[in-house]
Amino acid sequence: STYLVAGLATLLAYAGWVLSPIGIPADVAFLNRTLSATLFWVVAVLVNRSRVAILDRSARQLAALVNSSVDAIISQDLHGMITSWNGAAERLFGYDASERVGHPLSAIMASEQVCEEAVKSRQLLSGVTVPPYDTAWLHRDGSVIELSLSRSPIRDQFGSVVGISTIAHDITARLKAEASLKHSEVTLHAFFESASLMMGVVEVLEDYIRNLSSNRATARFLGIAQEAVSGRTASELGVAPEVIRMWLNHYRLCIKEHSPVRFEYEHRSVRGGKVEQRSLLATVSLIDQGADGVARCSFIVDDVTEWRRAEDMLREAHALLERRVAERTAELGSATVRARTLAQRLFEVQEAERRTVAQDLHDEIGQVLTALKLNLQQIQ
């Protein structure tokens, strides 16, 4: 285009020389037109050279960008042959550029993918845009690589399609992470639904609480279908106003402190015409708080009625045991006193008996000895 403009300017300059008024020397007019034409062509050459230099620099920058990309970038010509294979493609598929340039791209595809990719290639060569899609191609060692492909036609300066560009991003790690996350979500959901504890998520508003989700244990406790709990407020579920105020106070405390709050209360409900009282141990925690100021909190509630009854029975049994121990201790003390008195009496009886025996022995032996003495004296 610059040369075209320079040529047109040269023609106009010499046309002006032909049409110039009489009186200007011919050699001066010719010299002026020649110098002007020379200037036109010098400027055209300089402009073209600067543009070539810019394009060359852009091409080098683009080549550096392609080679330094973490994604595999592959280009093909109109016949499907690979014309460029960057370093990321070498690392991803295990082939050097020299091994793949000039060969078809189908060599790294599974046999069942060749026809499908050929259809997409024909669409791209016809100028039809193909949205990004996920697929799996093969590594040099035969292992499967999960990829996210972005393919687009390559156009020349006139807009004609001259090839296909393919950008391949390895999503193997992402798919593994997604599979692990999905497995964790399934496990967590199964735990949430099968838990014996009442669990759920609520929105804490100014003066009421809206249930967002609840597990089956919560629905069973409330005596309604699980689907009917979501989206309804606590008052719509039949919770007493004083209980709602109590829950609101604990929710506001956990939101203010940004820490879980644990509390216990007595829940009364009417079932079958009878008032049923249950002891509930609840823990509320803040999940997040949106820009609109609406806080989402979780709750975990355990029915500890049987525990409390067992504790009451244990306390009663302990008190009864204490009373029995006190009674037995008193009886034992009384028996000890009686035994001590009896022992003292026995000791006194034994002493009296000893004195009696001693006295009897003393008198009898004394008499015998006296008689023996008299007899001996008589014999003597």
Side-chain angles (χ1 to χ4, degrees):
S1 59
T2 54
Y3 292 143
L4 179 61
V5 171
L8 182 60
T10 302
L11 292 176
L12 291 175
Y14 283 99
W17 173 45
V18 174
L19 299 175
S20 60
I22 301 174
I24 298 176
D27 53 347
V28 173
F30 180 78
L31 179 61
N32 287 338
R33 270 60 181 181
T34 302
L35 292 176
S36 298
T38 303
L39 180 60
F40 295 153
W41 285 98
V42 169
V43 171
V45 170
L46 293 177
V47 168
N48 272 337
R49 285 187 177 181
S50 64
R51 190 177 69 168
V52 170
I54 292 173
L55 291 176
D56 184 58
R57 183 168 63 252
S58 299
R60 288 197 300 270
Q61 291 176 350
L62 181 59
L65 179 63
V66 169
N67 287 327
S68 62
S69 174
V70 296
D71 292 333
I73 300 178
I74 306 167
S75 61
Q76 299 169 263
D77 58 16
L78 295 175
H79 303 289
M81 299 299 174
I82 297 174
T83 58
S84 68
W85 183 272
N86 70 341
E90 294 180 347
R91 294 187 296 271
L92 183 59
F93 298 105
Y95 294 97
D96 292 335
S98 58
E99 297 177 283
R100 295 267 44 95
V101 173
H103 294 79
L105 191 60
S106 58
I108 58 174
M109 301 178 190
S111 56
E112 62 272 11
Q113 294 175 326
V114 174
C115 294
E116 181 182 354
E117 294 295 339
V119 172
K120 289 185 172 63
S121 297
R122 285 194 294 270
Q123 292 177 347
L124 291 168
L125 291 175
S126 63
V128 178
T129 302
V130 176
Y133 60 96
D134 295 344
T135 187
W137 287 356
L138 301 177
H139 190 270
R140 184 170 189 167
D141 59 8
S143 60
V144 178
I145 306 173
E146 300 291 342
L147 300 172
S148 174
L149 295 185
S150 177
R151 308 189 71 189
S152 57
I154 301 174
R155 300 179 183 274
D156 60 10
Q157 58 183 345
F158 303 107
S160 300
V161 177
V162 295
I164 301 173
S165 172
T166 302
I167 300 177
H169 178 67
D170 186 1
I171 58 173
T172 305
R174 190 194 77 187
L175 292 180
K176 289 182 179 179
E178 289 177 353
S180 176
L181 179 61
K182 185 177 181 180
H183 176 71
S184 299
E185 289 176 349
V186 171
T187 303
L188 181 61
H189 181 72
F191 167 76
F192 177 76
E193 290 296 335
S194 63
S196 60
L197 302 178
M198 291 174 276
M199 296 187 292
V201 179
V202 299
E203 280 183 343
V204 181
L205 300 160
E206 185 65 26
D207 55 353
Y208 63 95
I209 305 167
R210 177 183 291 114
N211 284 272
L212 298 180
S213 65
S214 300
N215 65 347
R216 286 194 290 264
T218 305
R220 283 196 304 268
F221 181 80
L222 295 175
I224 59 178
Q226 185 177 2
E227 297 78 11
V229 178
S230 300
R232 300 178 67 182
T233 63
S235 59
E236 292 174 342
L237 296 173
V239 182
E242 60 274 12
V243 177
I244 295 176
R245 288 193 296 269
M246 182 265 296
W247 276 86
L248 277 172
N249 291 334
H250 288 95
Y251 277 128
R252 289 166 183 157
L253 180 60
C254 85
I255 293 170
K256 178 181 177 182
E257 300 294 336
H258 287 82
S259 62
V261 175
R262 191 178 180 88
F263 60 96
E264 185 175 349
Y265 74 101
E266 298 296 322
H267 181 84
R268 292 177 177 84
S269 59
V270 179
R271 291 187 181 181
K274 296 189 300 182
V275 177
E276 184 180 27
Q277 180 169 319
R278 310 293 295 180
S279 297
L280 301 181
L281 180 62
T283 303
V284 295
S285 305
L286 175 65
I287 298 176
D288 57 26
Q289 192 165 8
D292 54 357
V294 177
R296 293 192 306 164
C297 297
S298 65
F299 67 84
I300 301 176
V301 181
D302 190 11
D303 188 348
V304 295
T305 305
E306 299 303 325
W307 293 358
R308 293 296 176 256
R309 289 175 181 172
E311 288 179 354
D312 293 339
M313 293 176 63
L314 183 61
R315 281 194 294 268
E316 292 176 1
H318 182 72
L320 179 60
L321 180 61
E322 290 290 338
R323 288 196 300 271
R324 292 288 179 84
V325 169
E327 292 174 358
R328 300 301 291 179
T329 302
E331 292 177 1
L332 182 60
S334 177
T336 302
V337 171
R338 289 196 301 271
R340 188 179 295 112
T341 303
L342 182 61
Q344 182 66 29
R345 179 61 180 166
L346 179 61
F347 177 76
E348 292 174 354
V349 171
Q350 288 176 346
E351 288 297 321
E353 185 68 23
R354 288 191 188 99
R355 285 193 298 268
T356 302
V357 172
Q359 185 175 359
D360 292 341
L361 291 175
H362 179 271
D363 292 345
E364 183 179 356
I365 293 174
Q367 291 176 3
V368 172
L369 290 176
T370 302
L372 180 61
K373 181 179 179 182
L374 292 176
N375 292 331
L376 289 175
Q377 287 176 353
Q378 184 178 4
I379 293 172
Q380 184 180 8

